[in-house]
Amino acid sequence: MSVLQRSNIDNVANPNDTASIPHTASPRTGAALESFVYDDDIVRKFLTVTVIWGIVAFLAGILIALQLVIPTVITYTTASGTRPFAFLEFLTNVQFLSFGRLRPLHTNAAIFAFAGNAIFAAIYYSTQRLCKARMWSDTLSRLHFWGWQVIIVCAALTLPLGYTQGKEYAELEWPIDLLIAVVWLGFFGVNFFMTLKRRRERHMYVALWFYAATIVTVTMLHVFNSLAIPAGWLKSYSVYAGVQDAMMQWWYGHNAVAFFLTTPFLGLMYYFMPKAAERPVFSYRLSIIHFWSLIFIYIWAGPHHLHYTALPAWASTLGMLFSVMLWMPSWGGGINGLLTLRGAWHKLTDDPVLKFFVVGVTFYMMSTFEGPMLAVKTVNMLSHYTDWTIAHVHGGALGWNGFLAFGMIYWLLPRLFQAPLHSKKLAEWHFWLGTLGILLYVIPIYCAGITQGLMWRAFDASGALKYPDFVETVTQLIPFYWFRVAGGLMYLIGALFMGYNFIRTWMARPAVYDAPVQTAPAMAPLHVSRPVFRSRLDSNTELGHKGDVFLQHVFHGWWHRAWEGTPYKFIAWSIVAVAAGSLLEIIPMFAIRSNVPSIASVQPYTPLELCGRDIYIAEGCYNCHSQMIRPIWSETKRYGDYSKPGEFVYDHPFQWGSRRIGPDLAREGGQRSNLWHALHLQDPRQSIQQSIMPAYPHLLTTSIDFDEIQTRIRAQAMIGVPYGEAVRDGVSQSLARAQAKVIADDIAKGDGPKGLEDKQIVALIAYLQRLGTDISKPPPTAAPQPAMAPANATQNTGRN
Amino acid sequence: MRLSDIMSQLGLAAFPIIGMLLFLSVFVGVLFRVTRRHRKAELDYTVLLPLADEVLPLENR
């Protein structure tokens, strides 16, 4: 290995990668050496925002963790009747800070802003070095950087305002989705693949494969899951409905974990771990196997998010099988990462970078062990909808993604800012605070999950539910939730230490960064290494000769080296693997009628109910409430008849939810009076004292936009919801007004708030009263018409 | 008659199972290929790439 040829950037005629400087010719091929300078400025940019957005994401997490405990604090009353903590009420009743709106902000910030920028920093740093080439286009690099930050800012503005598609981790509305597609593929993807094309190193190190697979697959996931019909500038409806939307969403959701939070971080691990340990990865073969198994297996595992739901059993069984199979390659990869330290374990004691990496990889192995376990149906029966899932993802996100990113940041800081790390001691503190913080978060939340899961299914001796009151199972969790706040705070403080270290190291940077000029010969053309075959046949047709040459090619196996040498073929194969897996899974789901048997009595929502549903989505009620009763005894006992696929055929998007912080609402219709709902939504604690649900006073004062309802009904009709007459001008509005009046009058009659007939709350109540009621109605006699009769405004049969 | 009625007649239910078997066999093929002996030299070279930011002399390429 020759030593780097160092010189200042000013001495270079063209600092970019243009091969303009003459050099000695290579002794073997005669190819001239080319000169180039790596673009580290872009890496510095991505690294900086990683730290900033990381802190924002952790802060948002702590805020929403606090929101789940604060309601129990504000209701605390002293003996003298004062409420000392009442001033914290704004955390539970300000609409822009509402849990249902901030939780998506937290997840989007953690995944796309923090983890996203971290992988971009990793990719821009390592790709240039592994390819021995500057990024293909500086302009695209900058467009990628700024475009991505604009997307993040748009998310930070729209989500608290309630603009959302209502699908987890894909909440951003359609204009932002379009921007994501352009920035991701058009700027980032093109730049990356062109750099691969222009590389000066024939062999593509495995990290590059992981990056390539990430770019290709995330594009596909994003495009197909986000297909929607706009109904305004910041409103759209998923083109899929019900079961199919659920299938699409979890195909996306699961693979976002695979291809946004796993494959790029594995690439990062395979590059930076050897760097930090100063030795090559333990087994390169294992890393290749790791790659192909992730590509082949992960894509099938999505349906495990939908066990015991209205999803057909074959799909969820496939999801389970493939999930269990994933255990092996994941552990192979993890062990591969850890054993990279073979013979260098002593370095661990005084190197915070290695500490972060080792614990990060350990968390990878823990999460990938737990994941397949949670995918087993019987375990899932207990864990689904509980905090167990939350504990699982935080082991992965804080432990694996966070720690790998931190390790990389500490490794890169001195190199990028060309100054020694300000304080190694502070980095050590970060490490310990972070590790303890994760444990303090994950262990109690794991206990909370199991506790609640067991309480939901507990029966007493007489065969009745032991905890029929849902809120009992919530109160039980509050102590665990306090631990989570503490753990999260520790993790945040650690990250703040890193921020400080970052700033101080940056302040010590030189006036001008040294940008060493690299040299390498251009990549030799492929045909040099490709054997030339001649037809062995004597007299034959041209086609025969060609065939023989082809066969020789195949048998001599040059094709697979060529396959790895040319990224295009390799990429094509990755796409084939991922796309074929997806199609094989999704086509039967969409095409087979029997998967979604229709139910004659299930009718589209009335215009007012649809408007209420949009409010339900905008407020993010799905972050706390499921709408999916599983065919499990304890569940049908608590909530009523289990959910059928046919009940969701008009649900664009589906709202099954994934976590029950509050009770399931699939059969909420008719259970409570309109007045009960109005008061409960105004302030849940005036109905149920221990409730931790946010208050929605603004719904009683914000008016319904009746004109908008017409646009939305038309958009729904465009994606196949049979709205008939209701699409005609003015029809939806008058139907909605009529239904709203009935509900408002009913509330006023019961001594509730008056004058609600044009307020959002009546729309939301109309929707809640419709939920799950169609199935017990008689099938319509005439041609399909939306059930326009106001949902039993005065019927009040259930608990109250 | 809707497209899904036609598709329903095609007996696609076995589709994902067949797909899974196909996947597994291709995957086993990949495993077999990467573990073959003759690629050792290439792998031994590639594994060192992250440690060789510096330009390698041409003889090693």
Side-chain angles (χ1 to χ4, degrees), chain A residues 477-739:
Chain A
L477 310 181
I478 302 296
F480 298 120
Y481 283 0
W482 277 112
F483 276 105
R484 161 160 68 187
V485 174
L489 266 179
M490 283 173 77
Y491 196 84
L492 172 72
I493 294 172
L496 289 174
F497 283 2
M498 177 178 70
Y500 178 74
N501 227 342
F502 189 106
I503 294 175
R504 292 301 299 262
T505 309
W506 169 77
M507 281 163 64
R509 72 196 182 282
V512 182
Y513 290 117
D514 185 27
V517 175
Q518 318 284 336
T519 53
M523 192 161 70
L526 197 61
H527 59 255
V528 173
S529 58
R530 184 196 295 182
V532 180
F533 298 106
R534 296 233 166 68
S535 172
R536 295 161 299 186
L537 308 172
D538 297 334
S539 55
N540 209 317
T541 59
E542 188 55 22
L543 200 65
H545 291 299
K546 278 203 176 123
D548 184 50
V549 169
F550 175 75
L551 283 181
Q552 291 181 61
H553 276 156
V554 171
F555 285 122
H556 285 80
W558 68 263
W559 58 275
H560 57 68
R561 246 162 289 138
W563 165 22
E564 279 153 23
T566 340
Y568 305 105
K569 288 185 194 158
F570 161 80
I571 292 157
W573 280 110
S574 309
I575 298 179
V576 168
V578 174
S582 307
L583 288 177
L584 288 170
E585 201 179 3
I586 288 169
I587 290 181
M589 190 66 233
F590 279 70
I592 300 178
R593 264 260 149 112
S594 60
N595 280 332
V596 188
S598 55
I599 304 172
S601 60
V602 172
Q603 296 292 315
Y605 297 104
T606 67
L608 187 69
E609 289 159 7
L610 183 72
C611 170
R613 192 169 201 271
D614 289 342
I615 296 167
Y616 185 93
I617 292 170
E619 293 297 346
C621 308
Y622 66 88
N623 287 291
C624 286
H625 290 286
S626 59
Q627 290 187 17
M628 170 52 57
I629 303 168
R630 296 176 293 172
I632 298 172
W633 181 221
S634 58
E635 216 150 279
T636 50
K637 186 113 177 152
R638 184 182 294 275
Y639 302 117
D641 197 5
Y642 66 88
S643 302
K644 321 281 187 298
E647 289 186 78
F648 303 100
V649 291
Y650 302 125
D651 280 14
H652 298 269
F654 83 116
Q655 290 287 290
W656 293 0
S658 63
R659 168 78 182 97
R660 285 180 186 148
I661 295 177
D664 188 277
L665 296 179
R667 305 235 177 270
E668 183 63 20
Q671 299 283 347
R672 310 271 193 182
S673 67
N674 293 329
L675 176 60
W676 189 91
H677 281 301
L679 296 177
H680 181 254
L681 286 166
Q682 182 182 38
D683 180 5
R685 279 154 291 284
Q686 62 192 7
S687 316
I688 299 197
Q689 213 233 328
Q690 312 94 308
S691 179
I692 61 169
M693 175 163 147
Y696 296 93
H698 61 274
L699 295 180
L700 282 80
T701 51
T702 316
S703 299
I704 298 173
D705 185 343
F706 283 97
D707 295 339
E708 206 173 60
I709 293 181
Q710 194 68 57
T711 325
R712 297 189 173 186
I713 290 286
R714 286 199 183 123
Q716 289 265 329
M718 271 169 75
I719 40 181
V721 181
Y723 266 114
E725 286 294 290
V727 297
R728 284 195 16 228
D729 260 349
V731 176
S732 290
Q733 281 104 313
S734 52
L735 284 170
R737 281 188 198 278
Q739 190 181 359

Side-chain angles (χ1 to χ4, degrees), chain A residues 251-486:
Chain A
W251 168 76
Y252 163 87
H254 182 75
N255 289 305
V257 172
F259 290 91
F260 206 91
L261 298 177
T262 308
T263 49
F265 280 88
L266 286 170
L268 191 163
M269 174 185 93
Y270 279 119
Y271 181 80
F272 287 95
M273 191 92 170
K275 282 282 200 201
E278 293 173 318
R279 56 201 62 219
V281 66
F282 173 65
S283 161
Y284 193 67
R285 279 217 163 92
L286 198 53
S287 70
I288 300 176
I289 297 175
H290 190 185
F291 175 80
W292 285 111
S293 36
L294 285 191
I295 295 281
F296 272 87
I297 300 177
Y298 236 120
I299 207 82
W300 290 77
H304 70 212
H305 290 259
L306 300 167
H307 283 332
Y308 296 109
T309 62
L311 194 74
W314 61 260
S316 82
T317 302
L318 267 188
M320 169 172 114
L321 281 178
F322 275 89
S323 307
V324 172
M325 274 161 39
L326 267 176
W327 179 76
M328 256 183 320
S330 305
W331 269 54
I335 290 171
N336 205 4
L338 289 182
L339 286 185
T340 299
L341 276 180
R342 66 201 176 283
W345 290 101
H346 58 276
K347 289 190 188 169
L348 210 60
T349 41
D350 65 357
D351 186 358
V353 173
L354 282 178
K355 280 201 185 81
F356 274 116
F357 282 162
V358 165
V359 172
V361 173
T362 312
F363 271 108
Y364 174 64
M365 293 173 70
M366 275 162 59
S367 306
T368 53
F369 176 77
E370 195 181 29
M373 188 169 76
L374 290 173
V376 174
K377 286 188 181 181
T378 41
V379 181
N380 194 270
M381 199 194 299
L382 175 68
S383 73
H384 198 37
Y385 299 124
T386 75
D387 276 321
W388 192 342
T389 315
I390 319 294
H392 171 60
V393 297
H394 282 84
L398 301 178
W400 159 244
N401 300 123
F403 271 30
L404 239 67
F406 298 151
M408 175 191 77
I409 291 171
Y410 284 116
W411 190 85
L412 282 176
L413 270 182
R415 288 167 175 84
L416 288 176
F417 293 114
Q418 299 172 5
L421 182 68
H422 169 67
S423 164
K424 202 158 133 184
K425 193 143 189 195
L426 217 52
E428 293 274 347
W429 268 97
H430 178 192
F431 170 76
W432 288 111
L433 275 172
T435 309
L436 284 178
I438 299 175
L439 296 179
L440 206 58
Y441 181 125
V442 170
I443 296 170
I445 291 304
Y446 173 79
C447 296
I450 296 188
T451 306
Q452 201 179 27
L454 291 175
M455 286 177 88
W456 287 343
R457 54 153 80 164
F459 286 98
D460 64 15
S462 69
L465 286 174
K466 201 164 167 196
Y467 306 99
D469 237 350
F470 188 89
V471 78
E472 279 182 278
T473 73
V474 179
T475 315
Q476 208 56 236
L477 310 181
I478 302 296
F480 298 120
Y481 283 0
W482 277 112
F483 276 105
R484 161 160 68 187
V485 174

Side-chain angles (χ1 to χ4, degrees), chain A residues 209-257:
Chain A
W209 306 12
F210 278 107
Y211 301 155
T214 301
I215 296 176
V216 169
T217 314
V218 170
T219 309
M220 194 174 87
L221 296 170
H222 172 71
V223 168
F224 285 103
N225 187 45
S226 305
L227 289 180
I229 289 281
W233 274 107
L234 285 168
K235 177 70 198 166
S236 60
Y237 294 113
S238 169
V239 297
Y240 318 104
V243 180
Q244 286 154 353
D245 196 35
M247 180 81 179
M248 263 334 238
Q249 161 64 21
W250 287 111
W251 168 76
Y252 163 87
H254 182 75
N255 289 305
V257 172

